[in-house]
Amino acid sequence: LVDSGAVDNVANRASFPEYRLRESEGSQNGLHYLAAHIGKIKNQGEQLLTCRSEDGTPFKLRMQVAEVSRPILSVIRLTESGKEVTFRKDGGTIRDPTTGMSTEFQRKHGVYVLRMWIRTGKQAGHNPESGFARLG
């Protein structure tokens, strides 16, 4: 999900089990997120994912790990890294003004969704030759 209200990129540990979980500043400092339906959710650490957009653009994505129902992409983190994010009625665009590269996302069932490929395999976070076998 592409979320303009999320403070971090967050995924459940089970979403990307092949990626190493490591300590993050948030997990070391006891950071929690708030969810309307269950209250506090503990930050368990982070994972660095190797990804490709549907159009083939490669990128790395740092995800904080917490007990969420689906991966969440934070617009705040995207804009802090220099990206421009535009929302439209039917979807939107993430644009890197430095490279001019753009990635489109769709609006489905009232939420914004970015489809991307996640590198899989035992060496997913370390081996650039691994395949992109899973659409996230």
Side-chain angles (χ1 to χ4, degrees):
L1 301 176
V2 180
D3 191 333
S4 62
V7 297
D8 272 323
N9 301 319
V10 183
N12 190 302
R13 175 74 176 118
S15 297
F16 310 108
E18 60 271 32
Y19 283 87
R20 183 173 67 92
L21 177 64
R22 61 185 185 198
E23 289 270 339
S24 67
E25 187 176 320
S27 65
Q28 290 172 342
N29 293 326
L31 177 72
H32 286 77
Y33 301 104
L34 290 177
H37 66 293
I38 60 171
K40 286 185 175 182
I41 303 172
K42 182 182 176 188
N43 180 317
Q44 300 170 3
E46 67 184 16
Q47 296 173 308
L48 183 60
L49 308 181
T50 302
C51 310
R52 285 205 181 155
S53 65
E54 270 196 307
D55 61 10
T57 305
F59 62 97
K60 297 279 187 184
L61 186 57
R62 184 176 315 279
M63 299 294 284
Q64 298 304 304
V65 176
E67 291 299 319
V68 293
S69 59
R70 330 185 218 188
I72 301 166
L73 187 59
S74 167
V75 172
I76 292 168
R77 294 292 177 229
L78 288 170
T79 57
E80 285 177 347
S81 71
K83 307 295 186 283
E84 297 171 344
V85 181
T86 305
F87 289 92
R88 297 182 303 276
K89 181 175 144 181
D90 63 343
T93 305
I94 301 168
R95 182 176 175 277
D96 184 331
T98 305
T99 65
M101 299 291 290
S102 292
T103 300
E104 299 292 319
F105 55 90
Q106 295 80 41
R107 183 175 174 189
K108 294 186 178 189
H109 308 292
V111 295
Y112 292 95
V113 179
L114 173 66
R115 292 173 47 95
M116 61 183 164
W117 291 95
I118 309 298
R119 189 179 304 263
T120 61
K122 287 184 180 180
Q123 299 295 318
H126 309 287
N127 182 355
E129 299 305 315
S130 312
F132 289 87
R134 189 156 57 87
L135 191 61

